[in-house]
Each structure stands twice: as C-alpha cells, then as structure tokens.
Amino acid sequence: QVQVVESGGGSVQTGGSLTLSCEVSGDIDGHYLMAWFRQAPDKEREGVAAVAPTGRVAYAESVKGRFTAARDVDKKTLSLRMHNLLPEDTAIYFCAVSVRYWLLLSQFLEATEYNYWGQGTQVTVSS
C-alpha cells in the first residue's frame, strides 16, 4: 500500500509565499512521477507541476515563473515553493503519484494518469 501525505498549506495575502511538502511511503520504488494538482470550489482539478524520476518537470502555464517544484527521489518527497501568490491560486492542493513514469511530458499534468493521492491541503490567498 502507498501513502501520500501533504503538509504546508495556509493563508496568505496577495503577493505572499508558501511552501507545500509531500511525502510518499509504502511499497513503491523510485520509478514514479510525483505531481501537484489543485481544485478550487466549483472547478475541475487541474495539474500544477509534475516531476519525473529523471528530473524532468512540467508546469501549468498559470504558475510558470511563480511556482517551483523540487523532488528528492531518495527521501520520496516533493515540494512546491509558491511565490507571488494570487487570489486565483486559492484551492485545495493535492499531491499525487503515478507509476506510469514513461508518460510524455505533455501527459504529466493529466489527473487520470495518477494512481495515488493525498488528502489535500488548503491554500487561501486573500486580496
């Protein structure tokens, strides 16, 4: 069984920063993708950033230049440093794992490709 646990959410004002962390445990080797998704009220879940075991990274256009994902394969962790946060970044952020490490970069942010999910952590950005 694989467990995915997020931490680090909170509330900030526009322009502020937050860092999210994710840790994977259980019966899984290093050949998997790790990603951040988010879901705002009344909106579909969307991919934010994903990191392959090779280090390749995909970002959503809306967060490029503001968010940075970093992965430690040995520690089975993934972080998301978020800067210059905007009210539209308000959402529940989920960490996810996909065993389909062979996915194309264009598929990294497709939620249907992910097998394991955390419970989510709330990020609220006020104007």
Side-chain angles (χ1 to χ4, degrees), residues 33-37 48-52 55-59 69 78 105 108-109 114:
L33 296 173
M34 292 186 74
W36 289 101
F37 289 80
V48 176
V51 186
R56 296 188 76 190
V57 184
Y59 290 102
L78 177 70
L105 188 66
F108 278 19
L109 298 181
Y114 286 77

Side-chain angles (χ1 to χ4, degrees), residues 28-42:
I28 189 168
D29 63 19
H31 297 89
Y32 52 89
L33 296 173
M34 292 186 74
W36 289 101
F37 289 80
R38 67 186 181 185
Q39 189 164 16
D42 300 323

Side-chain angles (χ1 to χ4, degrees), residues 14-30:
T14 297
S17 299
L18 281 174
T19 297
L20 305 183
S21 299
C22 173
E23 185 171 1
V24 178
S25 61
D27 187 17
I28 189 168
D29 63 19

